[in-house]
Amino acid sequence: MSDSTPVFNDRNTGKSKLINPTLVLNCGSSSIKYALISEDESTRITGLAENLGLDTARIKHTTLNGEKLEITIPGGRHELALQKILALLEQYHFVAVGHRVVHGGREYSKAVRVDQHVLDEVKRLKILAPLHNPANALGIEAVEAIYPDIPQVVVFDTAFHQTMPPVAYRYPIPKALYEEEKIRRYGFHGTSHAYVSERASEITDAKGPHGWLTAHLGNGCSATAVYNGESLDTSMGLTPLEGLMMGTRSGDVDPSLHIHLKRKLGMSLEEIDTMLNSESGLLGISGLSNDLRTIEQAANEGHKDAQLAIEMFCYRVGKYLASLSCALPDFTGIVFTGGIGENSATTRARILDVMRHFGIKFNAEKNDDLVGGAEGSFQDEGSSIELWVIPTDEECQIAKETCQALGLK
Ligand code: AMP
């Protein structure tokens, strides 16, 4: 298929053409997000297969013209969903497939072409990402079975953070655990931090090299110190549980919490793990939801736990950003992204209030305007640093890294 003629599909505007597209796949434990992105990154087809394995399994597909289709696949699992997705996209003759893979361990510092060794590594790293890496491997194998000649690339969430120095990535625990068991901090959300920091460096007027704190605030949350395009420290660690308070994840807690809960309540390690990953964060504190919109509404109506959830969330982000600034030789600015970072102006304002000793000044009106996919800066005159909202585009970053890994760009 790689040698086929590209298909030209003009949108209504007649401007967009899906030429030499890359298929980006993000296979999760019960869902598959996909995007077919043109070589020049200007055009895409997107979709989501969700509820996989359940009676309600379905594919929501948006065509090149923006038309929405829904295909039900009751009980369908990853393999079936991928077969249907690939059948929908086959006509566009994609030239490569890029997979988002959560954990790349110590070996991978950039995207790599899939071969047997890479696939084995993705599977082996299940021990560090039990929910994600097996699903990612399934996606690779399903594509391989149908299109053995199309090159596939894996883009690791951890790869961008491989530039962290030992002072940031080691835990202060016995050395043998690092050397023999690879226990260290890896960091995640790498494609998002890479994309928004690179974009900030493109659009700022500040002379380089630039030092950015990137705050990816969505259902999962992490912050990274990026200097001169390299991650120097980040808030997530061995797993995506460390660091900031998130939708359902606790972020940092006392490491002795496990032993305390075991002794006091007889909880098993698995129960504690589920509690910290799925029942904590905004959901745990508010008792309402992991969705900030629901919590903001309840807080406005006087719900005390919702108010505390928002305060804690912002306090913890501000505190983390302040500490991560220590990693940067120069501090150019903060970049907000993710569902919350891109849409909640009040959350951004509260976080900046927490950082009150940094000489940051922001324009409230500009901040309020930067929602719903808008990109721009909102610092005021005399601010010590720049403030940006940059919508993340992980699919675009994965497509770009896929083409780079294959020498197509
Ligand atoms: P993500 O995981 O990046 O899709 O982000 C999901 C989070 O973004 C959820 O907590 C949503 O409540 C939050 N979010 C999305 N839109 C808004 C909005 N307009 N105002 C506040 N939070 C939002």
Side-chain angles (χ1 to χ4, degrees), residues 232-247:
L232 294 187
D233 199 357
T234 191
S235 59
M236 285 178 168
L238 175 73
T239 74
L241 183 59
E242 187 179 333
L244 304 178
M245 174 172 164
M246 311 181 208

Side-chain angles (χ1 to χ4, degrees), residues 216-280:
H216 178 107
L217 309 177
N219 202 28
C221 300
S222 68
T224 297
V226 184
Y227 185 70
N228 208 9
E230 294 191 342
S231 168
L232 294 187
D233 199 357
T234 191
S235 59
M236 285 178 168
L238 175 73
T239 74
L241 183 59
E242 187 179 333
L244 304 178
M245 174 172 164
M246 311 181 208
T248 61
R249 279 172 262 173
S250 61
D252 290 350
V253 291
D254 186 332
S256 292
L257 184 62
H258 287 74
I259 190 84
H260 178 78
L261 292 175
K262 180 174 179 292
R263 284 181 186 145
K264 190 82 185 9
L265 302 175
M267 287 175 79
S268 69
L269 284 178
E270 284 68 28
E271 284 170 336
I272 298 168
D273 194 51
T274 302
M275 181 272 288
L276 292 175
N277 275 291
S278 312
E279 298 159 11
S280 298

Side-chain angles (χ1 to χ4, degrees), residues 16 27 37 75 84 117 157 179 194 196 232 271 286 289 301 319 339 389:
S16 313
C27 297
I37 302 183
K84 299 264 182 208
H117 171 71
D157 250 21
E179 291 180 341
V196 299
L232 294 187
E271 284 170 336
S286 70
S289 170
E301 290 162 4
K319 196 166 90 163
V389 175

Side-chain angles (χ1 to χ4, degrees), residues 216-220 290-293 296 338-340 343-344:
H216 178 107
L217 309 177
N219 202 28
N290 62 328
D291 191 311
L292 186 68
R293 284 165 290 200
E296 280 182 341
I340 295 173
N343 291 298
S344 180

Side-chain angles (χ1 to χ4, degrees), residues 48-92:
L48 171 72
E50 58 185 6
N51 303 340
L52 297 179
L54 303 177
D55 286 347
T56 49
R58 60 189 168 175
I59 298 171
K60 291 174 167 171
H61 181 81
T62 305
T63 69
L64 206 53
N65 305 319
E67 205 182 316
K68 308 230 184 266
L69 308 177
E70 193 167 308
I71 301 158
T72 54
I73 42 169
R77 296 180 183 280
H78 288 76
E79 291 86 349
L80 178 65
L82 273 166
Q83 281 168 17
K84 299 264 182 208
I85 292 167
L86 293 171
L88 281 168
L89 300 175
E90 192 174 39
Q91 59 185 303
Y92 300 106

Side-chain angles (χ1 to χ4, degrees), residues 22-40:
T22 296
L23 172 60
V24 175
L25 286 177
N26 182 354
C27 297
S29 51
S30 65
S31 68
I32 301 170
K33 259 173 98 174
Y34 59 93
L36 193 67
I37 302 183
S38 62
E39 191 177 37
D40 65 358

